[in-house]
Amino acid sequence: MTHRVDVTIIGAGVVGLAVASMVAKGRREVYLLEKNEKFGQEQSSRNSEVVHAGIYYDRGSLKAKLCLEGNSLLYELCEKNGIACRKCGKIIVATNEMESRELEKLYLRGRDNGVPLQMLSGKEMRQLEPNLKGTAAFFSPTTGIVDSYALMNYFLARAGENGVQVVYKTEVNGIKKQPDGYQISVNDASGDFSFMTKVLINCAGLHSDKVAEMTGIDLEEAGYHLHWCKGEYYSVSGGKNKLLNRLIYPVPTDISVGVHVCFDVDWRLRLGPHFYYVDEISYKVDDSGKYAFLESSMMKALPFIEPSDLAPETSGILAMLQGSGEGQRDFVIEHEYKRGLPGFVNLVGIESPGLTSSPAIAGHVSRLVDEILGS
Ligand SMILES: Cc1cc2nc3c(=O)[nH]c(=O)nc-3n(C[C@H](O)[C@H](O)[C@H](O)COP(=O)(O)OP(=O)(O)OC[C@H]3O[C@@H](n4cnc5c(N)ncnc54)[C@H](O)[C@@H]3O)c2cc1C
């Protein structure tokens, strides 16, 4: 007889784990399926670990709403549960007159989204960061850093306490709609098998478009086709981390927030990510991208960083809905009943600020699941 569960979540990144920690509630049978050997091996462990404030996103978008909500939920849960996190704040700095005009627009957008921000005079900027150079700047006190591994571990433990079964090395390779749910086909070390689920939640990150397609959704028609965008980081040596007190960001570019100062919770300094679109997943980083760092606004804002301080470090790949030269797209978080797929909760394009938003996304998805299962 086919095994039946209440909820199946595909993907154990920070979003799948956060969702798993909330949907089971100790009374539902929930599977969390992950194709890799461990949780968080893709976007969730290859990012800047920044707790974003909500500045960059279009007003009223899910990104703006869930980032702001996630920002306060994240600080609260880190404090309560001993997860390493620092509300260090960040300065966004312009290095020429054109950037200064863009900075002003960004400041207004952030304020419009309800983010606390403070425009800085030259004197105030120097007081906060004596080694920073710029033509204009503003301060975001609610931006910070979180230990993303510790955060995922916390969500995993909560999911376990609520009875979620986390199954690794198990790739979903087929989804068939049935009158009472979905038949899920998976492949693991022992071969192929299938089971039934009433609710299916797609948290498959870089592969979430392919998972959506397995349900029969036409990706082009739905606008769910993902583009992969690789971000490279360079480490900064020579004790330069001691010359800064908070995160420093440039005025954003068209595809990203721009090469910026990243600190981890131990105050290790990196610059990045430098983003470009790719067709395959390879995390290799070499010296060939160094020119992009040397020419970035950050090098003008931080003249104490010498080219010889920079060395290739890591990279991550983002699941972006927008292709090269296209405008910002919002997160897709949809109960797909309008496409004839009741019980299928689809998350596509959960790029930045997905880490920050994860607890808020989990709350949002959990409410959708309660509506579907009627509790
Ligand atoms: C370079 C970079 C910098 C970033 N910086 C920040 C930042 O500073 N702050 C911030 O808030 N956000 C940031 N982000 C975004 C953030 O990392 C992501 O939004 C978040 O990690 C998405 O989590 P996820 O769980 O949706 O995806 P993922 O972490 O990619 O997890 C998806 C999981 O699904 C699994 N999976 C896929 N297909 C299948 C299948 N068929 N069967 C079983 N399992 C499957 C994968 O193996 C993977 O483990 C950044 C991202 C990148 C790449």
Side-chain angles (χ1 to χ4, degrees):
M1 214 179 77
T2 313
H3 186 67
R4 289 175 179 273
V5 300
D6 297 310
V7 180
T8 299
I9 303 159
I10 306 174
V14 69
V15 174
L17 289 163
V19 167
S21 74
M22 284 197 74
V23 294
K25 305 187 171 173
R27 57 187 151 79
R28 292 175 182 150
E29 196 175 348
V30 178
Y31 275 177
L32 172 57
L33 307 179
E34 169 54 54
K35 67 178 168 58
N36 293 330
E37 283 186 6
K38 290 188 231 155
F39 65 83
Q41 298 292 290
E42 302 200 350
Q43 293 179 95
S44 301
S45 56
R46 295 177 162 277
N47 56 55
S48 303
E49 300 193 300
V50 172
V51 183
H52 284 294
I55 301 166
Y56 302 95
Y57 320 108
D58 292 337
R59 190 176 180 195
S61 63
L62 277 177
K63 280 185 178 171
K65 178 178 174 294
L66 297 172
C67 182
L68 247 94
E69 212 177 296
N71 176 288
S72 29
L73 288 172
L74 207 58
Y75 287 126
E76 200 181 303
L77 77 86
C78 287
E79 196 182 325
K80 268 196 200 145
N81 299 286
I83 300 166
C85 154
R86 284 167 86 146
K87 202 189 223 177
C88 55
K90 85 169 168 188
I91 291 180
I92 303 192
V93 64
T95 56
N96 58 42
E97 281 315 312
M98 204 172 86
E99 285 181 4
S100 295
R101 285 193 292 278
E102 291 304 312
L103 185 93
E104 176 91 28
K105 287 187 210 154
L106 188 65
Y107 172 80
L108 293 174
R109 179 190 292 194
R111 289 289 297 261
D112 213 27
N113 282 345
V115 181
L117 297 174
Q118 184 197 339
M119 221 12 132
L120 298 175
S121 65
K123 189 172 162 212
E124 286 166 333
M125 184 181 91
R126 282 188 295 282
Q127 271 167 353
L128 290 175
E129 292 292 350
N131 298 302
L132 182 63
K133 299 269 174 287
T135 50
F138 68 80
F139 176 53
S140 160
T142 55
T143 302
I145 324 160
V146 64
D147 178 340
S148 55
Y149 181 80
L151 179 68
M152 287 191 276
N153 235 341
Y154 163 79
F155 286 137
L156 179 72
R158 288 294 308 275
E161 281 160 26
N162 287 324
V164 175
Q165 299 237 29
V166 187
V167 196
Y168 297 110
K169 293 197 252 180
T170 300
E171 179 161 1
V172 173
N173 54 25
I175 300 168
K176 203 165 169 192
K177 184 175 176 295
Q178 303 287 6
D180 53 349
Y182 295 87
Q183 185 185 342
I184 309 298
S185 302
V186 300
N187 179 273
D188 69 4
S190 59
D192 293 334
F193 70 95
S194 68
F195 64 93
M196 281 292 300
T197 187
K198 282 186 209 155
V199 173
L200 176 64
I201 308 175
N202 175 11
C203 297
L206 294 169
H207 313 277
S208 51
D209 55 347
K210 297 291 172 297
V211 167
E213 198 170 32
M214 288 179 205
T215 65
I217 290 178
D218 178 334
L219 295 186
E220 295 310 323
E221 184 263 324
Y224 291 170
H225 180 69
L226 284 178
H227 305 268
W228 291 341
C229 201
K230 180 169 175 177
E232 296 186 349
Y233 293 89
Y234 273 47
S235 61
V236 182
S237 59
K240 305 287 164 82
N241 57 340
K242 298 190 189 77
L243 299 178
L244 291 171
N245 305 309
R246 49 190 60 73
L247 298 164
I248 311 291
Y249 274 58
V251 174
T253 66
D254 57 342
I255 61 168
S256 82
V257 292
V259 168
H260 55 83
V261 162
C262 308
F263 282 111
D264 63 12
V265 286
D266 298 321
W267 220 242
R268 203 170 50 95
L269 174 59
R270 301 186 289 166
L271 285 189
H274 162 55
F275 275 111
Y276 55 97
Y277 284 92
V278 293
D279 295 325
E280 55 170 11
I281 295 183
S282 155
Y283 295 113
K284 192 171 150 281
V285 188
D286 58 29
D287 239 356
S288 60
K290 195 166 178 175
Y291 72 94
F293 287 84
L294 297 178
E295 283 170 16
S296 69
S297 299
M298 275 299 90
M299 293 301 276
K300 294 186 193 93
L302 308 171
F304 58 86
I305 298 181
E306 304 286 340
S308 58
D309 295 330
L310 295 175
E313 201 217 37
T314 54
S315 71
I317 297 177
L318 269 183
M320 303 259 274
L321 280 164
Q322 62 273 29
S324 179
E326 294 170 5
Q328 199 181 106
R329 289 273 307 272
D330 201 5
F331 292 155
V332 170
I333 305 178
E334 283 289 332
H335 175 205
E336 298 282 14
Y337 65 93
K338 285 188 197 145
R339 295 183 198 278
L341 297 165
F344 177 46
V345 181
N346 199 12
L347 284 74
V348 188
I350 311 298
E351 43 130 339
S352 194
L355 177 69
T356 311
S357 309
S358 56
I361 293 176
H364 184 78
V365 170
S366 176
R367 285 187 289 278
L368 291 176
V369 173
D370 288 349
E371 274 168 35
I372 296 166
L373 291 175
S375 57

